[in-house]
Protein backbone atom coordinates (compact mmCIF):
# COMPACT_ATOMS: atom_id res chain seq x y z
CA UNK A 1 0.00 0.00 0.00
CA UNK A 2 1.15 3.56 -0.60
CA UNK A 3 2.41 5.40 2.44
CA UNK A 4 1.46 8.77 3.83
CA UNK A 5 2.40 11.44 1.32
CA UNK A 6 3.14 15.02 2.16
CA UNK A 7 3.91 17.91 -0.14
CA UNK A 8 5.67 20.05 -0.67
CA UNK A 9 8.73 18.54 0.98
CA UNK A 10 10.21 22.00 1.43
CA UNK A 11 8.74 25.49 1.35
CA UNK A 12 10.43 28.82 1.84
CA UNK A 13 8.11 31.79 2.11
CA UNK A 14 8.31 35.36 3.29
CA UNK A 15 6.70 36.54 6.47
CA UNK A 16 3.13 37.54 5.79
CA UNK A 17 2.62 35.14 2.90
CA UNK A 18 0.29 32.17 2.85
CA UNK A 19 1.35 28.55 2.60
CA UNK A 20 -0.75 25.41 2.25
CA UNK A 21 0.62 22.02 3.22
CA UNK A 22 -1.03 18.84 2.04
CA UNK A 23 -1.19 15.35 3.47
CA UNK A 24 -2.53 12.27 1.72
CA UNK A 25 -3.06 9.52 4.30
CA UNK A 26 -3.12 5.81 3.62
CA UNK A 27 -6.40 4.89 1.98
CA UNK A 28 -8.90 3.66 4.55
CA UNK A 29 -7.19 5.33 7.50
CA UNK A 30 -9.90 7.32 9.26
CA UNK A 31 -7.51 9.00 11.69
CA UNK A 32 -5.24 11.77 10.46
CA UNK A 33 -2.92 13.76 12.69
CA UNK A 34 -0.83 16.86 12.15
CA UNK A 35 2.31 17.42 14.21
CA UNK A 36 5.06 20.03 14.15
CA UNK A 37 8.69 20.08 15.21
CA UNK A 38 10.16 23.49 15.84
CA UNK A 39 13.97 23.48 15.74
CA UNK A 40 15.49 22.16 18.93
CA UNK A 41 12.18 21.15 20.43
CA UNK A 42 10.15 17.96 20.59
CA UNK A 43 7.47 17.14 18.05
CA UNK A 44 4.15 18.57 19.18
CA UNK A 45 0.59 17.68 18.35
CA UNK A 46 -1.47 20.14 16.30
CA UNK A 47 -4.75 18.40 15.54
CA UNK A 48 -6.55 15.14 14.86
CA UNK A 49 -9.19 14.37 12.26
CA UNK A 50 -11.52 11.40 12.33
CA UNK A 51 -12.70 11.17 8.77
CA UNK A 52 -13.69 14.74 7.89
CA UNK A 53 -14.36 15.89 11.46
CA UNK A 54 -11.90 17.62 13.78
CA UNK A 55 -11.68 15.36 16.81
CA UNK A 56 -9.10 17.40 18.70
CA UNK A 57 -7.57 20.70 17.67
CA UNK A 58 -6.14 21.60 21.06
CA UNK A 59 -2.61 21.91 19.68
CA UNK A 60 -3.31 24.50 17.01
CA UNK A 61 -1.17 27.51 17.93
CA UNK A 62 -3.55 30.28 16.87
CA UNK A 63 -6.17 31.27 14.31
CA UNK A 64 -3.57 31.77 11.59
CA UNK A 65 -3.64 28.01 11.19
CA UNK A 66 -6.56 26.38 9.38
CA UNK A 67 -6.84 22.66 8.75
CA UNK A 68 -9.34 20.89 6.57
CA UNK A 69 -9.93 17.34 5.50
CA UNK A 70 -12.07 17.22 2.41
CA UNK A 71 -14.41 14.24 2.28
CA UNK A 72 -12.33 12.45 4.85
CA UNK A 73 -9.52 11.89 2.39
CA UNK A 74 -6.54 14.24 2.07
CA UNK A 75 -5.95 17.09 4.48
CA UNK A 76 -4.56 20.58 4.08
CA UNK A 77 -2.99 22.84 6.67
CA UNK A 78 -2.95 26.49 5.72
CA UNK A 79 -0.90 29.12 7.51
CA UNK A 80 -2.06 32.66 6.81
CA UNK A 81 -0.26 34.97 7.33
CA UNK A 82 2.94 33.12 8.12
CA UNK A 83 5.21 34.35 10.90
CA UNK A 84 8.87 33.57 11.56
CA UNK A 85 8.01 31.31 14.51
CA UNK A 86 5.96 29.06 12.21
CA UNK A 87 9.18 27.67 10.75
CA UNK A 88 9.65 23.99 11.42
CA UNK A 89 8.91 20.55 10.09
CA UNK A 90 5.25 19.64 9.80
CA UNK A 91 4.46 15.93 9.98
CA UNK A 92 1.30 14.14 9.11
CA UNK A 93 0.40 10.67 10.37
CA UNK A 94 -2.53 8.37 9.81
CA UNK A 95 -3.93 5.31 11.52
CA UNK A 96 -6.74 2.84 11.13
CA UNK A 97 -9.66 2.83 13.52
CA UNK A 98 -9.08 0.44 16.40
CA UNK A 99 -5.35 0.13 15.80
CA UNK A 100 -2.51 1.80 17.66
CA UNK A 101 0.00 1.83 14.86
CA UNK A 102 0.73 5.08 13.07
CA UNK A 103 2.23 5.72 9.65
CA UNK A 104 4.05 9.00 9.26
CA UNK A 105 4.75 11.08 6.22
CA UNK A 106 8.21 12.42 5.43
CA UNK A 107 7.26 15.89 6.59
CA UNK A 108 7.21 19.36 5.09
CA UNK A 109 10.06 21.64 6.09
CA UNK A 110 8.65 25.17 6.27
CA UNK A 111 11.00 28.12 6.46
CA UNK A 112 9.55 31.59 6.97
CA UNK A 113 12.04 34.37 6.22
CA UNK B 1 9.45 19.79 32.29
CA UNK B 2 8.38 17.56 29.40
CA UNK B 3 5.99 14.72 30.11
CA UNK B 4 8.35 12.44 28.17
CA UNK B 5 12.09 12.64 28.79
CA UNK B 6 14.77 10.82 26.86
CA UNK B 7 18.42 10.22 27.61
CA UNK B 8 20.98 10.64 26.36
CA UNK B 9 20.24 13.48 23.93
CA UNK B 10 23.23 12.55 21.80
CA UNK B 11 25.10 9.28 21.59
CA UNK B 12 28.15 8.24 19.61
CA UNK B 13 29.09 4.59 19.43
CA UNK B 14 31.50 2.43 17.52
CA UNK B 15 30.25 -0.26 15.21
CA UNK B 16 29.40 -3.41 17.11
CA UNK B 17 28.65 -1.72 20.43
CA UNK B 18 25.52 -2.41 22.46
CA UNK B 19 23.41 0.72 22.72
CA UNK B 20 20.74 1.70 25.21
CA UNK B 21 18.41 4.68 24.93
CA UNK B 22 16.16 5.51 27.83
CA UNK B 23 12.71 7.06 28.05
CA UNK B 24 10.91 8.15 31.20
CA UNK B 25 7.42 9.55 31.36
CA UNK B 26 5.50 11.28 34.10
CA UNK B 27 1.91 10.65 33.02
CA UNK B 28 -0.41 7.69 32.74
CA UNK B 29 -0.16 6.05 29.36
CA UNK B 30 -2.05 3.52 27.31
CA UNK B 31 0.86 2.76 24.98
CA UNK B 32 4.47 3.75 24.33
CA UNK B 33 6.09 3.96 20.90
CA UNK B 34 9.66 3.95 19.70
CA UNK B 35 10.18 5.76 16.41
CA UNK B 36 13.18 6.24 14.13
CA UNK B 37 14.03 9.14 11.86
CA UNK B 38 17.02 8.96 9.52
CA UNK B 39 18.60 12.25 8.42
CA UNK B 40 16.36 13.86 5.84
CA UNK B 41 13.88 11.03 6.13
CA UNK B 42 10.45 10.43 7.49
CA UNK B 43 9.50 8.91 10.82
CA UNK B 44 9.25 5.15 11.00
CA UNK B 45 7.50 3.26 13.76
CA UNK B 46 9.74 0.64 15.38
CA UNK B 47 7.72 -0.64 18.33
CA UNK B 48 4.49 -0.13 20.18
CA UNK B 49 4.48 -1.39 23.77
CA UNK B 50 1.98 -1.52 26.56
CA UNK B 51 3.87 -4.03 28.71
CA UNK B 52 6.87 -6.31 28.75
CA UNK B 53 9.37 -6.61 25.94
CA UNK B 54 9.45 -6.77 22.16
CA UNK B 55 12.26 -7.77 19.80
CA UNK B 56 12.73 -7.17 16.11
CA UNK B 57 16.03 -8.17 14.62
CA UNK B 58 18.78 -6.35 16.52
CA UNK B 59 16.33 -4.04 18.26
CA UNK B 60 14.80 -4.74 21.66
CA UNK B 61 12.31 -2.54 23.49
CA UNK B 62 11.28 -2.95 27.09
CA UNK B 63 8.84 -1.13 29.31
CA UNK B 64 8.34 -1.03 33.08
CA UNK B 65 4.90 0.38 33.73
CA UNK B 66 5.40 0.69 37.49
CA UNK B 67 8.59 2.70 37.07
CA UNK B 68 7.25 4.63 34.05
CA UNK B 69 10.35 3.81 32.08
CA UNK B 70 11.21 2.24 28.74
CA UNK B 71 14.47 1.35 27.07
CA UNK B 72 15.42 0.76 23.46
CA UNK B 73 18.44 -1.47 22.96
CA UNK B 74 20.40 -1.98 19.76
CA UNK B 75 22.71 -4.97 19.66
CA UNK B 76 25.74 -5.15 17.36
CA UNK B 77 25.24 -1.56 16.22
CA UNK B 78 25.98 -0.61 12.64
CA UNK B 79 26.49 2.76 10.91
CA UNK B 80 23.10 2.35 9.23
CA UNK B 81 21.55 2.58 12.71
CA UNK B 82 22.59 6.23 12.81
CA UNK B 83 19.36 8.15 13.22
CA UNK B 84 17.25 10.03 15.72
CA UNK B 85 15.30 7.70 18.00
CA UNK B 86 12.12 9.13 19.46
CA UNK B 87 10.00 7.91 22.34
CA UNK B 88 6.31 8.85 22.23
CA UNK B 89 3.31 7.93 24.37
CA UNK B 90 -0.46 7.79 24.10
CA UNK B 91 -1.81 9.49 27.18
CA UNK B 92 -5.46 9.17 26.27
CA UNK B 93 -7.32 5.91 26.34
CA UNK B 94 -8.45 4.42 23.09
CA UNK B 95 -6.55 3.65 19.96
CA UNK B 96 -7.34 6.90 18.18
CA UNK B 97 -5.34 9.21 20.36
CA UNK B 98 -2.56 11.68 19.78
CA UNK B 99 1.07 11.10 20.66
CA UNK B 100 3.19 13.05 23.12
CA UNK B 101 6.84 13.00 22.11
CA UNK B 102 10.21 13.08 23.76
CA UNK B 103 12.92 15.29 22.29
CA UNK B 104 14.69 12.37 20.66
CA UNK B 105 18.14 10.80 20.94
CA UNK B 106 20.56 11.42 18.10
CA UNK B 107 22.66 8.29 17.56
CA UNK B 108 25.83 8.25 15.47
CA UNK B 109 27.49 4.89 14.89
CA UNK B 110 30.99 5.08 13.48
CA UNK B 111 33.19 2.46 11.84
Amino acid sequence: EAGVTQFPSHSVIEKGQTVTLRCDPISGHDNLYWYRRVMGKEIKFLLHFVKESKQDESGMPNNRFLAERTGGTYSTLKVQPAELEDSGVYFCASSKEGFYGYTFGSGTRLTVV
Amino acid sequence: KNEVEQSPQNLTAQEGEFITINCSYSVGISALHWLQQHPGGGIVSLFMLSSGKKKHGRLIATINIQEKHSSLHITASHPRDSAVYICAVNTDTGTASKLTFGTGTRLQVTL
Side-chain angles (χ1 to χ4, degrees), chain B residues 80-96:
Chain B
R80 64 176 174 267
D81 297 325
S82 299
V84 175
Y85 292 84
I86 305 166
C87 174
V89 300
N90 294 101
T91 56
D92 301 328
T93 57
T95 53

Side-chain angles (χ1 to χ4, degrees), chain A residues 8-46:
Chain A
S9 56
H10 294 84
S11 180
V12 180
I13 61 170
E14 292 185 349
K15 176 182 170 180
Q17 288 187 320
T18 297
V19 64
T20 300
L21 314 181
R22 174 168 168 152
C23 169
D24 287 61
I26 291 176
S27 179
H29 281 197
D30 288 341
N31 295 294
L32 187 150
Y33 306 83
W34 282 99
Y35 295 95
R36 177 175 73 172
R37 186 204 286 269
V38 172
M39 192 166 64
K41 302 280 191 181
E42 72 273 18
I43 299 169
K44 291 212 166 168
F45 168 79
L46 295 177

Side-chain angles (χ1 to χ4, degrees), chain A residues 59-73:
Chain A
M60 294 288 263
N62 51 59
N63 59 11
R64 296 185 294 103
F65 288 75
L66 175 64
E68 294 179 325
R69 189 177 182 192
T70 307
T73 56

Side-chain angles (χ1 to χ4, degrees), chain A residues 31 33 35 37 40-45 48 50 56 58 91 95-107, chain B residues 2 30-31 33 35 37 40-45 48 84 86 90 92-103:
Chain A
N31 295 294
Y33 306 83
Y35 295 95
R37 186 204 286 269
K41 302 280 191 181
E42 72 273 18
I43 299 169
K44 291 212 166 168
F45 168 79
H48 169 206
V50 177
D56 181 354
S58 60
F91 291 100
S95 69
K96 276 193 277 195
E97 185 57 40
F99 180 62
Y100 267 122
Y102 303 87
T103 303
F104 286 81
S106 296
Chain B
N2 291 345
S30 51
H33 304 256
L35 309 166
Q37 185 180 20
I43 296 171
V44 174
S45 180
M48 189 278 291
V84 175
I86 305 166
N90 294 101
D92 301 328
T93 57
T95 53
S97 66
K98 62 183 182 283
L99 292 170
T100 300
F101 293 80
T103 52

